Amino acid sequence: MTDFSNAQPLLRADRVTRTFGRIVGCADVSLDLYPGEVLGIVGESGSGKSTLLRCLFAADTPDSGTVAYTLRHGETRNVHTMLDAERRMLMRTDWAFVHQNPRDGLRMHVSAGGNVGERLMATGERHYGNIRATAGEWLDKVEIADERIDDLPVTFSGGMQQRLQIARNLVTRPRLAFMDEPTGGLDVSVQARLLDLLRGLVSDLGLAAIVVTHDLAVARHLSHRLMVMKQGRVVETGLTDQVLDDPQHPYSQLLVSSILRA
Amino acid sequence: MENDVILEVNGVGKNFTLHAQGGARLDVFQDVAFTLAPGDCLALAGPSGIGKSTLMRMIYGNFRCPLGEINLRHGDAVIDIARAHPHRILDIRRHTMGYVSQFLRVIPRVATLDVVMEPALAQGIPAGEARARAEVLLKQLRIPESLWPLSPVTFSGGEQQRVNLARGFAARYPLMLLDEPTASLDAENRETVVDMIRSARDQGTAIIGIFHDAQTRAKIVNRALDMSAFAVKAA
């Protein structure tokens, strides 16, 4: 596991605010994320989690505030003012995305191997044999059987599609993953498998991640630190188990006490 | 902090504000103070509800510490857990302070052997050695080998507790926190756990424990802290 104490933040958001007319998406959100660290963002629907996430990877532009990312060679850049070409390069190499709906992250009419290989090609890999071999390794890492490499994702179950999306995104050894409800919409048994897989990959690759979820169990098992959002604002932040076991803010307390135990 | 001290708890108090219940405030304890040296085994004593587990969780950084300081020797530094950054607390948990809680909390798919190895791996112990340690502990604690590849979530309470203990002892920490480590064990396993704790203590591990069983307590601890002394009197 990574030691965070001496590193420079990988991503730093400073008072990020995004409004839609009179509606507040997110307001005044600041955060630091360190290499290898997983930050969970929890809150109910409409709390601004996804808006914030979109501002962080520059799919949306905040009204005010900045988001800075530290490149591999150490230079820190504002993600909203960098050139489009630079940002596209980051999205293909340094950044990974795990969408709740795998259809948003996969090309459904390209084979499983092709989905993984495509991202490799975008980073300059041209040798067909290497691409296929690496794609095969990654399918194996996410527990998709070898013989499915030429099948289309439409023939896969939801859990398999989600694992394929993860392979496609992690094959380029990114440094930062943005995950939006990564286990949402999956059966509970499939969720545990995916959670275990994600945890292993994050720790093996030293990957930093921001995980937006309304599932507190996902947050507990995946994230080191937790941020609780309500109506666009951060109401509490801290060590994950501390926020979940000894929540201070009335809204965090409500969130934790509302979990139904089976 | 004195050189031979690993933990110094000073003026520590805890209260909970329950916002969903009209902001009711529970004052649990105040002015808790003690120090701990390597090889010490301190029992937190007192009736149920007095705040023994709460204090233990505060020392681990799991519960917030609103009053006082909890100074812990971590490598060459002394860190106040009450004010430490989450990154620092995670590092302390990895290398300096272990905690065996009453309940095992794991992802339902991970094999028992992996659950037990995990903290040792996180300390940087090579996989082969971590596995060897885990196997020795699981054997000592009488978890049948046929169960090692399975997730412990379906195990009995006593088996889960033993897996939790194996996990706690597979890594080595200067300070161990044990919350009723023998609560659901039979006599034979209780003996084994007592031996494990004693041997860790004799090798210099500082231990804080909650032991309801008086016999177990008598065999392990050299000091007790009666938590009743710190109860907050109703105004």
Side-chain angles (χ1 to χ4, degrees):
Chain A
M1 217 165 116
T2 324
D3 179 11
F4 310 119
S5 30
N6 300 314
Q8 187 184 6
L10 187 61
L11 188 78
R12 167 167 279 176
D14 186 27
R15 288 164 291 167
V16 169
T17 299
R18 174 70 169 115
T19 54
F20 305 95
R22 282 174 310 158
I23 313 285
V24 175
C26 61
D28 231 14
V29 179
S30 297
L31 63 88
D32 282 333
L33 183 76
Y34 288 78
E37 183 180 29
V38 180
L39 174 71
I41 304 179
V42 298
E44 63 201 2
S45 317
S47 60
K49 313 184 292 284
S50 298
T51 301
L52 171 65
L53 195 69
R54 288 171 56 77
C55 288
L56 294 179
F57 64 79
D60 198 356
T61 310
D63 305 336
S64 61
T66 56
V67 178
Y69 178 73
T70 304
L71 301 168
R72 279 178 204 258
H73 55 79
E75 189 192 349
T76 296
R77 302 289 302 276
N78 181 327
V79 302
H80 295 104
T81 57
M82 63 171 61
L83 298 173
D84 282 346
E86 287 179 294
R87 198 181 307 116
R88 275 200 303 273
M89 191 61 192
L90 281 181
M91 297 183 110
R92 281 201 301 262
T93 56
D94 255 28
W95 294 353
F97 300 88
V98 180
H99 302 278
Q100 174 172 6
N101 187 341
R103 284 162 191 276
D104 296 335
L106 289 175
R107 299 227 300 169
M108 297 308 280
H109 298 287
V110 171
S111 71
N115 262 285
V116 180
E118 193 176 49
R119 229 178 102 114
L120 271 179
M121 280 161 65
T123 62
E125 180 63 67
R126 286 288 173 270
H127 186 277
Y128 177 78
N130 290 348
I131 293 172
R132 192 170 168 90
T134 309
E137 278 165 33
W138 272 88
L139 291 181
D140 184 54
K141 276 201 220 293
V142 299
E143 303 169 11
I144 293 175
D146 237 15
E147 66 261 24
R148 303 301 299 269
I149 190 166
D150 294 317
D151 292 350
L152 296 181
V154 282
T155 66
F156 287 6
S157 69
M160 281 172 75
Q161 288 179 0
Q162 195 55 300
R163 298 202 300 279
L164 179 62
Q165 186 187 190
I166 289 164
R168 172 179 164 93
N169 273 272
L170 298 191
V171 68
T172 53
R173 305 258 163 183
R175 300 161 71 216
L176 171 58
F178 298 95
M179 306 188 194
D180 196 356
E181 304 283 1
T183 62
L186 298 176
D187 291 342
V188 180
S189 59
V190 180
Q191 276 185 21
R193 181 180 193 182
L194 192 74
L195 207 53
D196 176 32
L197 190 77
L198 275 175
R199 225 170 73 119
L201 289 171
V202 163
S203 118
D204 292 349
L205 301 175
L207 182 68
I210 297 187
V211 183
V212 161
T213 180
H214 67 270
D215 185 334
L216 299 186
V218 169
R220 185 186 285 277
H221 286 296
L222 222 46
S223 57
H224 300 110
R225 279 191 301 136
L226 208 57
M227 227 166 76
V228 182
M229 287 185 73
K230 187 194 179 205
Q231 290 168 0
R233 290 179 186 276
V234 176
V235 296
E236 184 162 352
T237 169
L239 201 60
T240 296
D241 60 279
Q242 200 178 60
V243 172
L244 293 178
D245 294 339
D246 189 14
Q248 304 292 305
H249 189 275
Y251 179 69
S252 317
Q253 290 190 358
L254 180 68
L255 209 61
V256 169
S257 65
S258 305
I259 304 173
L260 295 173
R261 289 188 203 279
Chain B
M1 202 160 88
E2 300 282 335
N3 267 333
D4 58 348
V5 169
I6 177 165
L7 178 75
E8 178 192 67
V9 169
N10 199 0
V12 163
K14 180 64 177 171
N15 49 67
F16 293 99
T17 304
L18 309 176
H19 293 286
Q21 294 172 51
R25 185 178 143 130
L26 294 176
D27 287 299
V28 189
F29 48 69
Q30 64 187 11
D31 293 328
V32 178
F34 65 89
T35 60
L36 205 66
D40 271 348
C41 182
L42 173 77
L44 301 181
S48 172
I50 203 81
K52 303 184 293 291
S53 292
T54 296
L55 176 62
M56 189 173 273
R57 286 167 155 231
M58 287 164 76
I59 295 169
Y60 195 60
N62 174 230
F63 279 7
R64 290 180 205 248
C65 175
L67 297 164
E69 36 187 67
I70 300 172
N71 293 313
L72 177 69
R73 190 173 300 285
H74 174 55
D76 297 331
V78 174
I79 310 290
D80 180 2
I81 302 281
R83 279 156 204 89
H85 189 277
H87 293 164
R88 187 65 74 127
I89 294 181
L90 289 173
D91 194 52
I92 285 172
R93 290 179 180 180
R94 196 151 52 239
H95 296 289
T96 300
M97 176 164 55
Y99 171 46
V100 178
S101 66
Q102 293 182 61
F103 307 101
L104 184 65
R105 204 171 220 156
V106 292
I107 298 177
R109 197 179 79 118
V110 184
T112 294
L113 191 62
D114 291 321
V115 166
V116 174
M117 283 169 65
E118 193 187 22
L121 290 175
Q123 282 193 342
I125 293 164
E129 192 186 333
R131 169 181 289 265
R133 276 194 205 175
E135 289 177 354
V136 167
L137 283 160
L138 286 169
K139 263 190 204 129
Q140 272 179 1
L141 289 163
R142 299 178 187 80
I143 302 288
E145 218 169 313
S146 55
L147 296 183
W148 297 359
L150 306 180
S151 162
V153 288
T154 54
F155 294 3
S156 73
E159 285 167 342
Q160 289 197 10
Q161 183 160 39
R162 281 177 279 146
V163 171
N164 223 3
L165 281 157
R167 180 179 157 88
F169 281 90
R172 289 186 191 132
Y173 307 99
L175 173 64
M176 287 282 278
L177 310 175
L178 306 172
D179 194 348
E180 300 203 43
T182 58
S184 34
L185 302 185
D186 57 30
E188 206 181 6
N189 281 309
R190 197 153 55 219
E191 256 336 285
T192 305
V193 172
V194 165
D195 286 343
M196 278 169 51
I197 298 172
R198 262 206 303 228
S199 133
R201 181 199 66 190
D202 293 345
Q203 287 168 40
T205 301
I207 293 165
I208 301 178
I210 300 169
F211 308 98
H212 275 298
D213 173 37
Q215 276 187 321
T216 302
R217 187 163 47 191
K219 286 179 193 153
I220 301 173
V221 310
N222 49 11
R223 288 160 61 201
L225 185 75
D226 182 3
M227 292 290 294
S228 324
F230 312 109
V232 180
K233 317 273 180 301

